[in-house]
Amino acid sequence: MTTTLAREETQAPSMPTGLHQLKKILSIRAVQIILVEIVVIAFFFAMSPEGAFLNAANVRGMLLTASQVLLLAIGQAILMSAGKIDISQGAVLILASVASGQVMVALQGSMSPAATLIVGLAVALLIGAVLGAAIGILVGVVGINSLVATLGMLSIATGVAQVATGGVNIFGMPGELSDWFGSVRFGAIPLPVILSLAVIGVIWAVYRLTPWGTHTLATGSNALAARRVGIKTVRNTIGIFIVSSTLAGLAGYIDLARYSTTNISGHLNDSMAAIAAALIGGTALTGGRISFLGAIVGALLAILLQSGLVIINLSPFYQTIAVGAMLLIAVSLDNANRERPGSS
Amino acid sequence: MTTDVLEIRDVGKSFGAVTALREVNLTVRKGEIIALLGDNGAGKSTLMNIICGSNPPDRGAVMVDGQRLDSVDAAQRLGVGVVYQDLALAPHLDLAENMFLGNEITTGPFKMLDRARMRREAEEAIQGLGISTLKDVRLPVGRLSGGQRQVLAVARAIKWASQLILLDEPTAALGPKQVDIVLDSIRTAAAQGLGVILVSHDIPNVLKLADRIVILRHGTIVADRSPEGMTVSDVMTVMVGDDA
């Protein structure tokens, strides 16, 4: 997951090898963010009463939040690597959780708890996949700009969720949803986090190790060139929107499992957070470059800031200011390094 | 046994009321370099698009190795390589990735990329053309000079072509040294048995390179001959005809 560097760059003769390696490592965006995060963690740990920032409950809470945000950030990074963007992820998450929740409430008692949970998961993923396919067709086949297409989907999905619920959150999920999934821990690690990381690991492997990732990057780098060499760019576009929205559907299911209720007004800014995480992590909005690790640590930075500010009794609103500032700094650094394209 | 790799039979193409090409007949043999010349609007681009399959003709047929070429997929299947004027390279991907873009080597049941083999074969393809300007196949194409990109695009087309390569203005905007590298690559491709069609405004170099020059005017071929004895002025005269 490290940025591709030219061989010449890695062998500058005038610099000792160790120093050069250190400089190379420090030039990686994800490493820079991790260093910032170490400072942030140390600061909040020192400032919080009795080191509460790093107590088990708070760490678990941050990890559970990360289990959802990371899925959205990875989906967004993949889209951005192809020069696309999705501002409807939060709305898809909401609609998927509403549909899944309604189905599970309706089914519980009529089938086994395990079957109810599996059907609920399938519904959440299916809603995500169908909405993703719809966006992909609008962008890839009809030719609508992805920002406009997903702006439309943001409105439609939010509206459908509100109509379906009458604007009232759904309660009464099967207790097993939390007992068997949302609240389960392996050691200190919640099961939803393990699931998210496993899914992200699989997606990274497929992206990095098969032609799919290269074709996606090529589409973002030069769409005309990609078409001319025979890459099915329309199919690729539909595919990456399906992946992204299915990840949003999974995040919706995790949301249900965490809280045992829907949150129909709580996720509308999630897409913006995911875009910011991917951008801060070094993925290019204009396509051709992606950093999975960068998107992950970019998403974690926002979570750390939000949790830390609450713990030290400052308004969490400062988090939005801090994330905005980080975003602008990161993009400014990108512009300064624009002559160094590459993928990771 | 025929040595023709390309046969264009009575091809015609119109755009609305405008006839872009009419009754075009042309053959290209193995190892032959054809220069396609003509003034702006003469029909060169239309003919190129027809030969590379992106714009099928209204009338007539394009045959490669005896099979009809009527789509981009057919062109690729029949071994026609194209170097577009915009080069069709992805700047964020490295040389090897661009060389194999759309034709990646995969291995195993999960179709995993064999990057090591792609890098090795990309190096071999570049070395096979005697190109010394592209040393590191892991370098992102965005960091190459214009000349290096041009050479890479030519090398890629040659690697995947088994019958014919089309080159659209391959020496435009290059310095003299880079032009020599590109022209040497084209000669090497022809020496390997590929037919070559070259569209270029660089007439002095075309006269040195081509085995035949084909001149289009008003959508039809007005000259198809050896460049021997021809001067730039002669070519210009045929290109513009009575319009001058």
Side-chain angles (χ1 to χ4, degrees):
Chain A
M1 286 197 240
T2 53
T3 305
T4 304
L5 292 172
R7 224 175 268 165
E8 286 88 336
E9 277 194 337
T10 61
Q11 293 174 349
S14 59
M15 196 178 289
T17 309
L19 192 61
H20 183 77
Q21 287 295 330
L22 181 63
K23 190 181 173 192
K24 181 185 158 192
I25 290 168
L26 291 176
S27 72
I28 297 170
R29 173 61 55 78
V31 174
Q32 295 167 349
I33 298 170
I34 289 169
L35 292 176
V36 171
E37 287 174 348
I38 290 170
V39 173
V40 168
I41 290 169
F43 174 77
F44 285 128
F45 179 68
M47 295 296 289
S48 57
E50 298 173 6
F53 183 68
L54 287 184
N55 71 26
N58 195 50
V59 169
R60 204 159 48 244
M62 287 192 288
L63 288 175
L64 276 168
T65 303
S67 68
Q68 295 174 256
V69 177
L70 293 184
L71 293 172
L72 302 184
I74 291 301
Q76 202 69 247
I78 292 170
L79 290 173
M80 285 162 58
S81 73
K84 309 292 189 296
I85 198 165
D86 183 357
I87 60 170
S88 69
Q89 282 179 314
V92 172
L93 185 161
I94 292 168
L95 184 55
S97 68
V98 164
S100 173
Q102 286 182 329
V103 168
M104 284 192 285
V105 168
L107 288 179
Q108 65 180 327
S110 64
M111 58 170 59
S112 72
T116 304
L117 300 194
I118 290 169
V119 171
L121 174 62
V123 168
L125 298 181
L126 188 66
I127 291 286
V130 169
L131 296 183
I135 299 168
I137 289 167
L138 289 169
V139 174
V141 179
V142 182
I144 299 175
N145 179 283
S146 60
L147 181 68
V148 178
T150 56
L151 178 63
M153 185 56 76
L154 166 70
S155 188
I156 291 169
T158 307
V160 171
Q162 286 170 336
V163 168
T165 59
V168 180
N169 280 312
I170 304 168
F171 293 91
M173 298 299 139
E176 292 81 2
L177 181 60
S178 174
D179 297 342
W180 292 0
F181 178 51
S183 301
V184 176
R185 297 201 303 264
F186 288 92
I189 314 292
L191 179 56
V193 178
I194 295 170
L195 176 67
S196 288
L197 291 178
V199 168
I200 289 168
V202 169
I203 290 174
W204 173 82
V206 175
Y207 193 99
R208 180 70 186 145
L209 303 178
T210 75
W212 176 55
T214 308
H215 292 179
T216 304
L217 285 168
T219 303
S221 182
N222 185 343
L224 179 61
R227 281 196 297 276
R228 281 179 164 170
V229 298
I231 293 172
K232 310 294 184 198
T233 54
V234 171
R235 198 166 66 186
N236 182 277
T237 298
I238 294 170
I240 58 176
F241 274 106
I242 289 175
V243 168
S244 172
S245 293
T246 304
L247 290 176
L250 178 58
Y253 186 75
I254 291 174
D255 204 51
L256 277 178
R258 283 183 68 189
Y259 302 110
S260 292
T261 178
T262 55
N263 186 2
I264 56 175
S265 58
H267 292 284
L268 291 175
N269 289 326
D270 284 11
S271 297
M272 296 305 161
I275 293 166
L279 279 172
I280 289 171
T283 297
L285 187 63
T286 47
R289 194 179 65 210
I290 187 169
S291 172
F292 279 78
L293 183 58
I296 290 169
V297 295
L300 290 177
L301 180 60
I303 294 167
L304 288 170
L305 287 168
Q306 185 167 37
S307 175
L309 290 167
V310 170
I311 286 221
I312 65 170
N313 225 7
L314 275 176
S315 165
F317 297 142
Y318 284 111
Q319 179 248 11
T320 57
I321 297 172
V323 170
M326 288 295 298
L327 174 64
L328 294 177
I329 291 168
V331 174
S332 300
L333 288 173
D334 264 353
N335 281 354
N337 294 327
R338 190 167 277 175
E339 76 280 8
R340 297 172 51 184
S343 67
S344 64
Chain B
M1 192 177 115
T2 178
T3 58
D4 291 345
V5 291
L6 174 75
E7 183 182 4
I8 297 174
R9 295 183 200 148
D10 293 323
V11 158
K13 181 77 182 177
S14 300
F15 298 101
V18 178
T19 301
L21 290 175
R22 56 192 161 88
E23 294 172 11
V24 171
N25 290 280
L26 179 67
T27 57
V28 181
R29 289 186 288 275
K30 284 181 189 292
E32 191 176 34
I33 301 175
I34 305 283
L36 190 60
L37 305 175
D39 205 357
N40 290 336
K44 303 188 299 292
S45 296
T46 304
L47 186 55
M48 284 287 280
N49 287 335
I50 287 172
I51 299 172
C52 72
S54 63
N55 201 353
D58 299 334
R59 296 169 295 281
V62 176
M63 310 295 286
V64 172
D65 202 27
Q67 297 181 62
R68 184 181 283 265
L69 187 160
D70 52 9
S71 67
V72 173
D73 286 346
Q76 288 183 342
R77 192 181 67 249
L78 295 172
V80 176
V82 185
V83 179
Y84 295 94
Q85 194 166 1
D86 63 20
L87 304 183
L89 297 171
H92 295 81
L93 303 185
D94 67 30
L95 267 75
E97 287 169 331
N98 269 281
M99 181 77 88
F100 283 87
L101 197 55
N103 293 291
E104 289 83 2
I105 299 174
T106 57
T107 180
F110 297 109
K111 295 189 181 301
M112 312 264 271
L113 289 171
D114 190 342
R115 292 184 188 275
R117 189 172 153 204
M118 288 196 293
R119 285 175 184 147
R120 192 172 63 246
E121 289 194 13
E123 282 173 355
E124 287 168 2
I126 289 166
Q127 285 166 4
L129 291 172
I131 297 167
S132 59
T133 185
L134 302 174
K135 288 190 172 61
D136 184 359
V137 296
R138 287 189 288 184
L139 200 63
V141 164
R143 292 189 197 160
L144 301 181
S145 69
Q148 288 173 316
R149 292 183 202 200
Q150 187 81 52
V151 170
L152 172 63
V154 173
R156 179 174 69 179
I158 292 171
K159 172 159 181 61
W160 297 111
S162 58
Q163 299 286 344
L164 177 77
I165 56 169
L166 309 176
L167 302 105
D168 193 0
E169 299 290 357
T171 57
L174 296 185
K177 191 178 170 190
Q178 293 164 332
V179 167
D180 284 345
I181 294 170
V182 170
L183 297 185
D184 283 345
S185 303
I186 294 170
R187 285 191 190 97
T188 306
Q192 291 172 356
L194 293 176
V196 177
I197 297 182
L198 178 69
V199 172
S200 177
H201 284 100
D202 183 3
I203 297 172
N205 275 316
V206 158
L207 290 175
K208 284 191 283 184
L209 181 70
D211 299 310
R212 274 163 58 207
I213 59 168
V214 173
I215 300 176
L216 280 168
R217 192 167 71 223
H218 301 317
T220 193
I221 292 174
V222 293
D224 183 348
R225 53 160 292 180
S226 161
E228 203 171 310
M230 287 192 88
T231 64
V232 172
S233 177
D234 295 336
V235 173
M236 294 294 291
T237 302
V238 181
M239 277 170 55
V240 298
D242 297 333
D243 299 343

